Amino acid sequence: MTSTSTKLARVPKPKTAAERKARVEKILAILDKMYPGATCALHHSNAWELLVATILSAQCTDKRVNEVTPGLFKKYPAIQDFAAAKQEELARDIRSTGFFNNKAKSVIGAAKKILTDFGGQVPREMDQLLTIPGAARKTANVVLGTAFGIASGVVVDTHVQRIAQRLDLTKNAEPRQIEQDLMKAIPREKWILFSHQIIHHGRALCVARNPKCAQCGLEPLCYAKDKTV
């Protein structure tokens, strides 16, 4: 019996730092052609709304979050409204995003922290953002990059984690270590766009099961073991 999916030949790995750099440059150029206008998929109109949406997106699809946030931001139009919200009521409002009790606690805590410590403005520095409930590095990178255009790091979600490993841009499995590897390999001016492009790529082609390698412009530069056509 032959498999319905055909194994593709693995391309030679670069052997020198110059070859590795050239390969990364090719990957970035192809991503620019495939996803030239990639941006954050979470709908928002300001940094606070993006922070809330990103907190809600944990273990939840962006599509679902985008279905919840319009009504949420209409009910709680200002950060002060979130700070004054009752946790039980807010949890009901965001129930469909999953883990709603923890997320409600984080969002209310974030609103109170920003009002108390940062004058009601979402801070623009990583160290300050990390003091806000619900804001780990991934969330902070999303807010800094998308809301403020500040390249403080690389967003590492499940798509970035998987594809960075498939493209051999990291051999690590822990998000913080993967981020460090990507920050070394990718030019800083590309950090924000790169993460958006990889996330789009992970949804469109390089999916977790049965990746669509035959349609992928990166296929000639990829030597993942499970490439199929």
Side-chain angles (χ1 to χ4, degrees):
M1 294 288 291
T2 58
S3 173
T4 55
S5 55
T6 305
K7 295 286 185 180
L8 298 180
R10 299 183 73 189
V11 298
K13 293 187 177 184
K15 297 178 180 178
T16 66
E19 289 177 352
R20 286 191 291 272
K21 182 180 179 182
R23 177 176 175 268
V24 168
E25 289 174 351
K26 289 180 182 178
I27 289 173
L28 295 176
I30 292 169
L31 287 172
D32 284 345
K33 289 182 179 179
M34 294 175 71
Y35 311 103
T39 188
C40 182
L42 294 169
H43 299 165
H44 62 281
S45 59
N46 56 54
W48 165 248
E49 289 187 359
L50 179 57
L51 175 58
V52 173
T54 308
I55 291 173
L56 297 185
S57 72
Q59 305 296 313
C60 181
T61 64
D62 290 353
K63 181 177 182 293
R64 171 66 68 183
V65 174
N66 288 337
E67 292 170 353
V68 171
T69 49
L72 191 68
F73 296 143
K74 185 176 181 180
K75 181 175 181 178
Y76 306 96
I79 189 170
Q80 291 84 354
D81 299 310
F82 279 96
K86 294 182 179 179
Q87 184 175 326
E88 297 79 7
E89 184 176 357
L90 180 57
R92 289 194 296 271
D93 295 332
I94 62 174
R95 187 180 184 88
S96 63
T97 67
F99 302 95
F100 45 89
N101 287 321
N102 285 337
K103 290 178 181 179
K105 182 179 179 181
S106 291
V107 169
I108 292 171
K112 290 180 176 178
K113 177 76 172 180
I114 291 171
L115 286 170
T116 301
D117 291 5
F118 304 110
Q121 300 297 313
V122 177
R124 298 181 178 222
E125 295 182 14
M126 174 63 75
D127 290 346
Q128 293 178 338
L129 266 173
L130 292 177
T131 67
I132 294 173
R137 277 198 67 90
K138 173 194 162 187
T139 298
N141 277 326
V142 169
V143 172
L144 289 171
T146 298
F148 302 127
I150 298 172
S152 58
V154 178
V155 175
V156 177
D157 73 345
T158 55
H159 297 295
V160 175
Q161 182 170 343
R162 179 180 73 254
I163 295 171
Q165 292 168 339
R166 287 178 60 82
L167 289 174
D168 203 39
L169 297 176
T170 183
K171 295 190 183 332
N172 287 301
E174 197 276 320
R176 186 68 183 99
Q177 294 174 322
I178 292 172
E179 183 186 4
Q180 290 293 327
D181 290 339
L182 292 176
M183 289 166 70
K184 293 175 184 175
I186 309 298
R188 186 172 192 136
E189 64 270 17
K190 286 282 191 176
W191 287 355
I192 299 170
L193 179 60
F194 172 80
S195 61
H196 291 317
Q197 290 172 328
I198 292 294
I199 290 168
H200 279 269
H201 188 54
R203 290 172 179 156
L205 295 177
C206 197
V207 293
R209 295 183 180 181
N210 298 318
K212 303 171 185 177
C213 300
Q215 303 173 40
C216 179
L218 292 173
E219 187 277 318
L221 296 169
C222 178
Y223 23 78
K225 294 179 180 179
D226 63 341
K227 286 202 301 184
T228 60
V229 289

